Amino acid sequence: MENIFDIESPITGKKDVSICEELSVKKIIDEYKKIGLDVTNNYTGISSIKILKCNESGYRFYYPYSTIGDKNFYVELAEREAYYPEIRWEHKLTINFISKEDKVLEIGSGFGAFLNLLKTKNIEGTGLELNPAAIENCSKQGLDIRNELSDAHLVNNHEKYDVVCFFQVLEHVYDVKGFLDAALGLLKPNGKLYIAVPNSNPYLYKYDKFHAMNLPPHHAGLWDKDTLSRLQDHYNITLDELKVEPLHVNVNEYWDAMYEESKSIKNNYFLTFLFNATKPIRKVYARNFIEGRNLLAVYTKKTQPTISSSSR
């Protein structure tokens, strides 16, 4: 594995990262097998992976990058029921901020849920997607879908769009800087950028580090409110809003995960009593104090580039 001092931050491009922790490859492979996926080939020759942290932005990411899923991995996932869900929480929020005069680009359109939502509002929307099945599905619906990466689309569409958005995409990208540079190149000055990502701090990801779908090869990094806020320090954008999805899940799932991690202290009978005794109030507490699964950040592209810490 590469020397830690030679690894560049995916956000700043600087060799300024630190090690947060290491995770067992065997444990990761076993967790994926529980949901019917064999990811052994993504971990050939390694016994553990690292979670590294960009010291300037706070962004945490998995390393080595060779463990991240390729096109074939996502084609297999797309065949699973509900991998590309219908209208999401972040779709409903974003559509309220877009006007009929806006030209919208969605990067990573999946099966076209948000593009269809734009269509119902008579808003001009273009989607970029690489999954052949998803592209075919969108085409059959009459949606404007392109089989292109964002940097290839940028060649003939520089600063074309009033809105650029990507929902549940950035957590799959290991070259974050290259991806965001291309996205911002497609966006007009004063245009709006919408980014939705899983929240790495709620019950699921804070207390269950081996939740398979939040690990490589599915996910490349861990996003939270602080890191999304700090993107404006490294890119030509200003953060307008940062919203957290309300908690919609079975609350006991959170408590059970937290309890399992706490059980590392053997024979902790008081802890067992405490968790059992608090069952009646869990739901009320969770709804008010535990964050939901997803985040939506809204940015405005500045009219003039600024010299950020990542470009000095």
Side-chain angles (χ1 to χ4, degrees):
M1 195 175 286
E2 191 175 352
N3 188 307
I4 185 70
F5 297 109
D6 294 328
I7 301 171
E8 295 181 351
S9 159
I11 295 236
T12 68
K14 293 182 179 181
K15 296 178 180 179
D16 183 21
V17 303
S18 55
I19 299 175
C20 293
E21 59 187 302
E22 288 195 57
L23 302 178
S24 163
V25 163
K26 182 181 184 305
K27 174 70 171 172
I28 294 172
I29 292 174
D30 288 345
E31 291 302 311
Y32 270 102
K33 285 181 179 178
K34 291 178 183 177
I35 58 173
L37 291 172
D38 184 358
V39 299
T40 306
N41 289 339
N42 291 84
Y43 292 98
T44 302
I46 57 174
S47 60
S48 66
I49 63 170
K50 290 182 171 66
I51 298 179
L52 302 181
K53 181 179 180 179
C54 168
N55 292 326
E56 284 195 14
S57 68
Y59 175 60
R60 292 172 293 154
F61 58 100
Y62 295 108
Y63 193 85
Y65 299 135
S66 59
T67 60
I68 307 304
D70 59 10
K71 180 179 178 180
N72 292 332
F73 175 78
Y74 287 100
V75 168
E76 181 181 356
L77 274 183
E79 296 173 354
R80 300 168 73 88
E81 184 178 357
Y83 180 69
Y84 290 115
E86 294 302 313
I87 301 300
R88 300 179 61 100
W89 164 80
E90 58 265 27
H91 293 160
K92 294 176 182 178
L93 283 181
T94 300
I95 196 69
N96 292 325
F97 296 108
I98 299 175
S99 69
K100 290 184 178 180
E101 293 75 30
D102 288 332
K103 290 185 177 181
V104 181
L105 176 70
E106 183 188 16
I107 303 174
S109 297
F111 278 75
F114 187 67
L115 290 178
N116 263 314
L117 188 58
L118 292 171
K119 188 176 179 180
T120 63
K121 302 287 187 180
N122 294 316
I123 298 171
E124 182 181 343
T126 299
L128 304 184
E129 179 58 50
L130 301 180
N131 187 312
I135 293 169
E136 181 181 3
N137 186 284
C138 289
S139 297
K140 288 180 178 178
Q141 298 177 74
L143 302 174
D144 183 6
I145 193 75
R146 316 290 177 86
N147 184 9
E148 285 184 314
L149 291 167
S150 52
D151 53 356
H153 192 67
L154 176 61
V155 174
N156 296 313
N157 297 281
H158 180 71
E159 294 189 345
K160 174 181 177 179
Y161 298 98
D162 303 286
V163 174
V164 172
C165 54
F166 31 96
F167 308 112
Q168 312 300 321
V169 170
L170 198 56
E171 66 273 16
H172 303 280
V173 177
Y174 64 83
D175 180 16
V176 176
K177 189 176 188 306
F179 185 87
L180 288 178
D181 283 344
L184 290 171
L186 290 158
L187 187 61
K188 294 177 181 179
N190 284 324
K192 297 292 184 180
L193 177 68
Y194 294 84
I195 301 176
V197 290
N199 182 4
S200 66
N201 280 332
Y203 76 98
L204 187 60
Y205 305 141
K206 184 174 182 180
Y207 295 105
D208 187 4
K209 293 168 187 172
F210 286 96
H211 181 74
M213 296 297 278
N214 198 38
L215 291 163
H218 190 232
H219 284 178
L222 300 163
W223 291 88
D224 56 32
K225 291 183 293 185
D226 182 57
T227 303
L228 285 173
S229 297
R230 288 205 247 175
L231 282 181
Q232 63 186 341
D233 298 331
H234 305 284
Y235 296 90
N236 192 40
I237 51 177
T238 300
L239 178 66
D240 299 331
E241 289 192 71
L242 183 54
K243 294 185 175 291
V244 183
E245 183 179 20
L247 188 70
H248 299 301
V249 300
N250 181 352
V251 176
N252 284 330
E253 193 177 344
Y254 162 81
W255 290 99
D256 291 344
M258 187 167 66
Y259 175 48
E260 287 301 316
E261 180 162 297
S262 301
K263 280 199 309 186
S264 57
I265 304 173
K266 293 183 178 180
N267 300 319
N268 194 331
Y269 299 111
F270 175 74
L271 185 62
T272 302
F273 168 78
L274 180 64
F275 271 76
N276 289 330
T278 57
K279 283 183 180 179
I281 63 170
R282 289 180 186 179
K283 189 171 184 178
V284 174
Y285 174 85
R287 298 296 182 198
N288 289 282
F289 297 101
I290 300 173
E291 296 177 353
R293 291 181 182 230
N294 296 297
L295 302 169
L296 175 66
V298 185
Y299 306 89
T300 298
K301 180 179 176 180
K302 298 177 183 176
T303 55
Q304 296 295 328
T306 56
I307 300 176
S308 70
S309 59
S310 58
S311 59
R312 288 174 189 150

